[in-house]
Amino acid sequence: MKKYCYIRLGIMGLLLSWQAVNAQNTVSFLKDTTGPVINRNIYGHFAEHLGNCIYGGFYVGDTSHIPNTKGVRQDVIAALRKLKIPNLRWPGGCFADTYHWKDGIGPKAGRPAIVNTWWGNVTEDNSFGTHDFLNMCEELGTEPYLAGNVGSGTVQELSDWVQYVNFEGKSPMSDLRVQHGRNNPWKVRFWGVGNEAWGCGGNMRPEYYADIYRKYATFMHSNWKNEHLFRIASGANSSDYNWTEVLMKNIPKNLLEGVALHHYAVISWNQKGDAVNFSERQYFQTMQSGLFMDSLIHKHSAIMDKYDPQKKVALVVDEWGGWYDVASGTNPGFLFQQNTMRDAVLAGATLNIFNNHADRVRMANLAQAINVLQSVILTHGDTMILTPTYHVMEMYNVHQDATLIPIAIHSNDYTLGKEKLPAVSVSASKDKAGVTHITLVNIDASKAQDITVNTQGSFKSVNGRLLTSAKLQDYNSFSQPDKIKPVAFNGAAIRNGNLTVKIPPYAVVVLTLQ
């Protein structure tokens, strides 16, 4: 197997003959290496019973004046279809380990209410449950990813849920599903076996959770022919490498398809900073935390390689994104924050990292889809707007199921005081039609970047799309919903076999080469 990587040439000591002595921001396609397919599931999303993500976000009920399909907003369905979301994780998050799925089936009037103790202590009436979510996924054309309750639920409860949604023969759970109006199973493939077992999922030690995982996973069966469940273990909190070590060492590989990783770009858990009124220092710190994702994946992957050299087990980054202080005047347990150009840059750079680690990262979920944290959609009453992060995810969906083009990159530094970060982030792929796409991010808050790309090919045309704005702090509001949106990019040209690009500060660019 040929080795490929996303590297900085200064670190690796790699010199390319085509570079001039003083050349900077140079990218080279490594044509003599074979890259993996970028799994479309890297572009997944997350919908937790948290704040106004489900209720008022996705779901308004079938009696609402807001146009809906079985209670799900039609404008949300249309927007997410355009985004081509490949999977959607539900019902949590921390909420998953207090959620009992049988509370959310059957006639809505008869469903018991609970208190959402994790997020705002609000009453949850369970009007949005298993049927509602899985039918919504069918409307969206996306695969559901169900997070099972391990913290407060039983093995039997999780096993019954699997049977309820997947078994096509006659059984107690499939009979119950038919009784509630669904004849055919949904055939749910992705299953989380608990969530954040090191924290809100039970404050477990990794050794204890590994044994719990083995027990629960043993009783989870696909229940349909020629298919297997994709079971995902509750993985590490950011740089807890021992957690990954213990899980990989102690869980048999026939019970394990994926190991999760959670990492948020946060300035400080005590002082997260405002989502809109932030300084360049706070922007730099956010990007510093976000770019740490590359180191995390390198190190967790190295541990996984020891126990799984054939890379059969996926690294699943099923919670990522920027986390700031909640918007003033909102419920602190609802985690509502605005979404600026800072978030667009963060999203673009993070997705480039995932693409370049596509050999091991085969699924990821942005937290969260609507009205919570780094969302792609915001709603208010019957109005919906798309965030800058939405536009980045839409621009980048050209990479879904395309073949990664491994690259070597040398970047200028983005310097603030005595600290520095690489100014340029890049990934590239070739789709099934043979079209090449390059996604580039300029992280620098004040300087444009000139980039030379040696494509080692004979491309005749290049066109692109650009996302940027007048200020880093700009965002789309309900009064100005289109302040930030993609526009045509004319800053790229092909000269003497090389591609030259001039990208403005804090900007995201997607190029198409043919």
Side-chain angles (χ1 to χ4, degrees), residues 212-247:
I212 289 290
Y213 176 92
R214 290 165 65 126
K215 181 179 179 180
Y216 278 72
T218 297
F219 293 93
M220 299 171 69
H221 305 286
S222 65
N223 294 321
W224 77 91
K225 297 178 182 177
N226 302 317
E227 291 286 350
H228 297 282
L229 299 185
F230 195 100
R231 294 160 296 188
I232 300 165
S234 172
N237 177 17
S238 195
S239 58
D240 185 354
Y241 304 113
N242 179 62
W243 188 278
T244 300
E245 182 91 36
V246 171
L247 265 55

Side-chain angles (χ1 to χ4, degrees), residues 333-345:
F334 283 12
L335 304 187
F336 176 82
Q337 62 189 41
Q338 252 298 350
N339 198 289
T340 68
M341 273 306 303
R342 169 171 62 173
D343 298 289
V345 172

Side-chain angles (χ1 to χ4, degrees), residues 142-443:
T142 192
E143 280 201 78
Y145 170 12
L146 294 180
N149 182 346
V150 169
S152 68
T154 65
V155 172
Q156 184 69 55
E157 183 179 10
L158 183 52
S159 177
D160 283 350
W161 203 13
V162 174
Q163 187 180 101
Y164 186 89
V165 302
N166 284 348
F167 191 59
E168 56 191 354
K170 182 175 177 58
S171 75
M173 290 300 104
S174 58
D175 287 350
L176 184 60
R177 183 191 69 236
V178 172
Q179 178 185 326
H180 291 145
R182 174 77 183 199
N183 291 328
N184 297 321
W186 291 277
K187 298 185 178 181
V188 177
R189 184 163 60 111
F190 297 119
W191 292 83
V193 184
N195 167 76
E196 294 190 357
W198 42 264
C200 62
N203 284 304
M204 303 179 197
R205 296 176 298 108
E207 294 82 3
Y208 180 79
Y209 173 71
D211 286 342
I212 289 290
Y213 176 92
R214 290 165 65 126
K215 181 179 179 180
Y216 278 72
T218 297
F219 293 93
M220 299 171 69
H221 305 286
S222 65
N223 294 321
W224 77 91
K225 297 178 182 177
N226 302 317
E227 291 286 350
H228 297 282
L229 299 185
F230 195 100
R231 294 160 296 188
I232 300 165
S234 172
N237 177 17
S238 195
S239 58
D240 185 354
Y241 304 113
N242 179 62
W243 188 278
T244 300
E245 182 91 36
V246 171
L247 265 55
M248 292 300 296
K249 181 179 180 180
N250 291 292
I251 299 176
K253 301 308 171 285
N254 66 319
L255 293 176
L256 183 66
E257 285 73 39
V259 174
L261 170 66
H262 290 182
H263 175 69
Y264 288 92
V266 61
I267 296 170
S268 164
W269 287 108
N270 295 323
Q271 298 288 333
K272 301 182 188 73
D274 194 88
V276 174
N277 299 310
F278 55 88
S279 65
E280 184 178 355
R281 166 57 59 185
Q282 290 172 312
Y283 165 71
F284 187 95
Q285 291 172 316
T286 300
M287 293 309 303
Q288 197 171 39
S289 179
L291 294 177
F292 184 55
M293 183 71 78
D294 187 58
S295 177
L296 288 172
I297 294 173
H298 270 297
K299 292 179 180 179
H300 284 291
S301 295
I303 294 167
M304 296 176 75
D305 287 347
K306 288 195 324 186
Y307 302 96
D308 176 34
Q310 294 180 318
K311 300 182 185 293
K312 292 183 179 180
V313 179
L315 183 60
V316 178
V317 190
D318 57 13
E319 290 189 27
W320 69 271
W323 194 322
Y324 318 114
D325 291 334
V326 300
S328 177
T330 66
N331 187 321
F334 283 12
L335 304 187
F336 176 82
Q337 62 189 41
Q338 252 298 350
N339 198 289
T340 68
M341 273 306 303
R342 169 171 62 173
D343 298 289
V345 172
L346 175 63
T350 303
L351 292 171
N352 283 339
I353 291 170
F354 292 159
N355 290 344
N356 287 312
H357 286 286
D359 61 327
R360 183 63 82 175
V361 179
R362 297 195 286 276
M363 190 171 182
N365 299 81
L366 175 66
Q368 292 186 11
I370 306 177
N371 294 329
V372 173
L373 298 176
Q374 192 174 342
S375 54
V376 294
I377 291 172
L378 300 177
T379 63
H380 181 71
D382 59 0
T383 308
M384 181 197 78
I385 61 173
L386 308 177
T387 70
T389 298
Y390 175 96
H391 293 305
V392 173
M393 298 290 282
E394 186 274 324
M395 292 164 69
Y396 271 55
N397 67 27
V398 295
H399 287 305
Q400 292 185 17
D401 293 333
T403 299
L404 178 72
I405 299 174
I407 60 171
I409 178 171
H410 175 89
S411 172
N412 285 340
D413 291 325
Y414 165 34
T415 303
L416 188 66
K418 296 181 179 180
E419 295 183 284
K420 59 186 179 181
L421 294 171
V424 174
S425 167
V426 183
S427 69
S429 69
K430 179 182 287 189
D431 66 20
K432 294 177 181 178
V435 178
T436 295
H437 295 98
I438 307 175
T439 46
L440 308 100
V441 181
N442 181 5
I443 296 166

Side-chain angles (χ1 to χ4, degrees), residues 445-460:
S446 58
K447 297 178 181 177
Q449 300 293 328
D450 292 305
I451 307 167
T452 301
V453 183
N454 179 5
T455 63
Q456 299 191 27
S458 53
F459 295 103
K460 296 180 180 178

